[in-house]
Structure formats: structure tokens, C-alpha cells
Amino acid sequence: MLPKKAVIPVAGLGTRFLPATKVIPKEMLTVVDRPTIQYIVEEVVASGIKEVVLVTASGKSAIEDHFDYSFELETFLAQKGKLDLLNQVRQISNLIEVVSVRQKRPLGLGHAVHVTEQVVGDQPFVVCLGDDLVEAEEPCVYQMLKVFEKYQEAVVAVQEVAEEEVERYGIAEGEEVEPGVYRVKRLVEKPKPGTTSSRLAVIGRYILRPEIYDCLSRTLPGVGGEIQLTDALDILRKERGLYAYKFKGRRFDAGDKLGFLQATVHYALDHPELGGQFREYLKEIARQLD
Ligand code: UTP
């Protein structure tokens, strides 16, 4: 059975991006011409997923509204004959079915996933973090679904990071069973320098089995006093198995100011209308910097 639902937790406070995120959810910050959350929803739709479960909190209703039907705006655009814009706005609300679940307090990513248990039920599902963008020829989630189909165990997406970045991520240690696919032997959240030899960092894409909910119910607060998804995944690994997949593509942490700027440059360069002009502009800037 392949996953039909994608859980997207968006209930975090976005403190790394203050003051921008005081009122605006970080997932609504715009990369070129779309909020980051739309890129993620487009990725899951392109991977064949039919339903998104948003884990929200107070102050995040703009995200739900973005994917909802907007009677006033659509009527206005239709009356003005702005059909191109009307189509764009309609496409967003037609993209996917969205269900929301509230996380009443930001107790961590693991907790955010746990609150979706009733809505997801007894089936495998995808988790995508609301601020991790992956630019790839074949959508990252689609690549991972192929790994899940083969091994039938949970899969986390990993990328190789520099030695000095290891302590900022959940790190997977494992044995490579085919090119880019690892059977995970240990998973550790934000390891202290020198405590792991692996540089495989878990990024915000997961294919999970429903057994993760039981693992989450047995997970105590970890790093930062939060219920860590990484800790629950390590229980799942011990009891069933877990794979790490080195995806093909480039990931941006759009919840971080520098990552957000890098994403903006890359997506702008790839933009069908703006790309050419933007490339010329960057060349000019680069000449001035020399
Ligand atoms: P982050 O740690 O990147 O998000 O969590 P954050 O807490 O919003 O950001 P900072 O670190 O304060 O800047 C990864 C993802 O998990 C969600 C966040 O919304 C983000 O998409 N999350 C995190 C929750 O939904 N609930 C939580 O309790 C924690």
C-alpha cells in the first residue's frame, strides 16, 4: 500500500525568522511568486498524493485560506476579465484536499506528527516540513515513494552535510544497501561533535508507517525539551527497520534567513518569465563585487 496523505506540520513559531514571522507564518513567506508552502503542496501533488493534513496553530489561518476557495477575489477577477489571474487563483484551491488539525502547544515536531493519528489512521503517510524546499527534476517525495514501495519500511530523506554542520541535524548512521539507499543502524538528533562519523543529515521529507504513532506515544521529551520525531524514528528503526535515502536534488532551509535567500535566487533563476532578466542582473552585481 502506498501513502495517500501528506502531513505538513506548520505549527512552529518560526523564531529564526523574526521579526518577519511575528504575524505572518514563515510558510507564507514568498519565494519569487509563491509562498513556500505552495511549493511543498505542489511537490506532494506531483508525487500522486491526494490529501494534505496541515498541523496548524493559532495565527496560522492564512495557510488554510491560501488553499481555500476565495469567492470575493474570484468574482472580482471574473468581472474585470482578468482570466489569467483567475485561473492561477483557482488552480491553488483545486490543487488538493486540505484537512487541518490543531497542535495546541508547540511541543516539538514529534508531537506535531502525533496529533494527526486520528486523521491519518492505520496507513502509511508522507511528512513534509513546511519550510524545507527541494528543487529536483523528479519530485523528492516521488523518489522516496519508490524506495518505500521496494522496502516497505519507513524512509527518511538525507543529504550529506559538512562536518561542522552535523550538530545542527538529525544524523543517520547506516549501511548502503544500494546506491543512495541506507539501512539505518542509528539515528541521533543534533549529535555533539565527535560522537558520530556519519554526515548524512535528515531533511524535512519522510515516508512513515502507522506504527510511528505508537513509537511517538513512548517518546519522552529530548533535545530542547521537545518531543523529537528523530527519537520516535529510532524506536521504529529498532522494532521494524528504517531506510535513509540520499535524494537527487537540492534542498533549501527556507525557515532560515540565508537558506531563504539562496532559495529565492535559485527559484528566480529557474522562473520561466523572470529567469533570463534575473540572470543578467546577477551577472552585473557579480561584476561590481569583483
Ligand atoms: P523548526 O524547528 O524548523 O520550526 O521545525 P520552528 O520551530 O517554527 O522554527 P524556529 O526554529 O523557531 O525558527 C520544523 C517544522 O516543524 C514544525 C514547524 O512549523 C516546521 O515546519 N513544528 C515544529 C510544528 O509544527 N510544531 C512544533 O511544535 C515544532
Side-chain angles (χ1 to χ4, degrees):
M1 185 188 195
L2 277 176
K4 295 189 179 65
K5 299 186 186 200
V7 168
I8 309 185
V10 294
L13 295 173
T15 54
R16 284 172 297 154
F17 226 126
L18 283 167
T21 46
K22 186 178 171 200
V23 178
I24 300 169
K26 67 175 170 181
E27 299 80 6
M28 287 304 291
L29 296 178
T30 304
V31 171
V32 188
D33 57 3
R34 278 172 283 171
T36 54
I37 186 79
Q38 192 177 329
Y39 288 90
I40 292 158
V41 169
E42 285 172 0
E43 178 185 332
V44 301
V45 170
S47 304
I49 299 294
K50 306 272 185 247
E51 189 179 318
V52 158
V53 180
L54 288 175
V55 182
T56 65
S58 63
K60 297 275 182 165
S61 57
I63 302 175
E64 287 148 294
D65 291 347
H66 185 71
F67 294 101
D68 204 354
Y69 169 63
S70 170
F71 176 76
E72 216 177 336
L73 180 61
E74 292 194 18
T75 310
F76 175 82
L77 293 173
Q79 281 170 354
K80 294 278 174 192
K82 300 193 171 191
L83 301 183
D84 266 8
L85 288 176
L86 178 62
N87 267 339
Q88 280 182 36
V89 168
R90 274 203 183 133
Q91 262 168 22
I92 302 169
S93 56
N94 289 338
L95 264 178
I96 203 155
E97 288 303 315
V98 177
V99 173
S100 298
V101 182
R102 279 271 180 152
Q103 185 190 20
K104 290 183 185 146
R105 282 191 296 152
L107 298 179
L109 176 59
H111 180 256
V113 172
H114 202 180
V115 300
T116 66
E117 183 169 8
Q118 295 302 318
V119 178
V120 171
D122 192 23
Q123 54 179 309
F125 61 104
V126 175
V127 174
C128 292
L129 298 195
D131 51 3
D132 255 1
L133 295 179
V134 182
E135 202 186 34
E137 237 166 66
E138 192 172 51
C140 180
V141 167
Y142 186 72
Q143 296 176 40
M144 295 173 74
L145 287 172
K146 288 195 285 190
V147 179
F148 178 79
E149 197 169 16
K150 182 163 176 187
Y151 295 95
Q152 293 293 317
E153 295 296 348
V155 183
V156 295
V158 290
Q159 68 174 12
E160 223 157 87
V161 295
E163 187 82 54
E164 59 275 16
E165 284 183 308
V166 161
E167 59 186 308
R168 289 177 33 209
Y169 289 89
I171 296 289
E173 294 170 2
E175 146 204 24
E176 197 166 18
V177 289
E178 64 172 286
V181 180
Y182 301 79
R183 187 178 301 116
V184 179
K185 296 257 171 76
R186 188 167 86 112
L187 204 58
V188 45
E189 182 63 27
K190 301 190 171 69
K192 297 239 156 54
T195 57
T196 178
S197 56
S198 170
R199 291 197 284 122
L200 294 178
V202 178
I203 66 131
R205 299 286 184 275
Y206 313 77
I207 313 283
L208 300 180
R209 297 187 49 97
E211 292 81 359
I212 192 72
Y213 290 119
D214 181 52
C215 300
L216 280 165
S217 69
R218 288 181 276 141
T219 302
L220 300 172
V223 175
E226 296 189 340
I227 308 281
Q228 298 288 351
L229 181 59
T230 310
D231 295 341
L233 279 167
D234 204 40
I235 301 178
L236 188 70
R237 172 196 66 76
K238 275 187 223 137
E239 295 179 358
R240 288 197 57 105
L242 175 70
Y243 287 82
Y245 170 65
K246 213 198 270 179
F247 64 97
K248 296 182 186 73
R250 189 179 173 127
R251 170 256 183 186
F252 301 96
D253 180 2
D256 166 81
K257 290 176 188 174
L258 183 61
F260 183 85
L261 286 173
Q262 290 165 341
T264 303
V265 170
H266 278 267
Y267 283 92
L269 284 170
D270 280 348
H271 194 280
E273 286 143 39
L274 300 169
Q277 260 177 298
F278 188 62
R279 186 174 302 273
E280 291 312 309
Y281 175 70
L282 282 189
K283 281 186 190 160
E284 195 186 312
I285 296 271
R287 274 196 294 275
Q288 287 169 14
L289 290 177
D290 273 345

